[in-house]
Amino acid sequence: MIRNSRRVTALAIAGAITLASAVTGCGAGTNPETARPTQLTEGVNVSRADLDVQIRNMFVLGPSEGKTLPAGGSAPVYATLISSATDGRPDKLVAVSSNMSGTPTPLPGGGLALPPGQAVSLNSPTGPRAVLAGLTTALRGGENIEVALQFERAGVVKATLPVVPQSGDFQTYGPAPTPVASPTATSPSASPKATASAASKKRKKVAKTAVPTPTP
């Protein structure tokens, strides 16, 4: 009888611990106060109570398998951004930077508008909208780098992001565009009229300086 009583007590304690763990896990999963990014699949989520922009599945796209993004090159940043501003005013992503790139890289067109409550992707039919330019270190994929997003209203949001190789499900994401070299400026060619005038002046000069041949 005493042995059975001890067994029942042990089972009750174990059940209470299990229930408490489940409640704690649920609370942590729904708590928006955390400032630490949450790893989900390959990307990173950033959600804070004091932040008017929510970030979903953010990552840096690396090279394809077996290749390297060289130092001096560029790497795109992908994510989905949602402005949670309650005053109805849109925010704007204006630049991105990293501890492995040069100065902050501005987004084209003065920035990417974020209307309140709308999900805006950094992916577009023409390619990535945010790019880390001027890498100071070569990237092979599999690294973790610090990235900062500069918002017009929300300020700077920093997170540690994975560099995901461009393979598998990530093959559909485009790499950073290759910079187009500007054409070298050449001096315009002389017009036919100017060329003819110069030739005429040269002939006159030669005629003036020529010495007449004496008649025998």
Side-chain angles (χ1 to χ4, degrees), residues 35 42 69 78 86 89 94 108 127 146 158 168 197 201:
E42 294 289 349
L69 289 180
Y78 284 104
T86 57
R89 297 170 57 191
V94 295
E146 296 179 7
K158 297 181 179 180
S197 177
K201 290 180 179 179

Side-chain angles (χ1 to χ4, degrees), residues 5 9 48 83 110 156 182:
S5 177
T9 301
R48 293 202 315 256
S83 173
V156 178
S182 59

Side-chain angles (χ1 to χ4, degrees), residues 32-170:
E33 298 289 336
T34 177
R36 297 183 60 187
T38 304
Q39 291 280 357
L40 289 179
T41 63
E42 294 289 349
V44 168
N45 289 357
V46 180
S47 179
R48 293 202 315 256
D50 63 338
L51 183 63
D52 285 340
V53 175
Q54 310 303 315
I55 304 173
R56 298 287 178 267
N57 195 31
M58 183 165 55
F59 61 92
V60 175
L61 185 69
S64 56
E65 292 287 351
K67 296 186 177 181
T68 301
L69 289 180
S74 301
V77 179
Y78 284 104
T80 297
L81 310 176
I82 306 171
S83 173
S84 54
T86 57
D87 58 3
R89 297 170 57 191
D91 204 339
K92 183 184 290 187
L93 177 64
V94 295
V96 293
S97 60
S98 168
N99 64 329
M100 291 190 180
S101 65
T103 57
T105 307
L107 269 69
L112 179 64
L114 306 175
Q118 295 186 24
V120 179
S121 175
L122 294 184
N123 194 5
S124 75
T126 58
R129 288 172 165 154
V131 173
L132 298 171
L135 295 174
T136 57
T137 303
L139 298 178
R140 299 180 180 276
E143 303 95 337
N144 289 306
I145 66 175
E146 296 179 7
V147 174
L149 275 62
Q150 175 69 56
F151 294 94
E152 189 174 67
R153 298 186 60 201
V156 178
V157 178
K158 297 181 179 180
T160 301
L161 305 184
V163 179
V164 180
Q166 190 186 19
S167 61
D169 294 338
F170 297 92

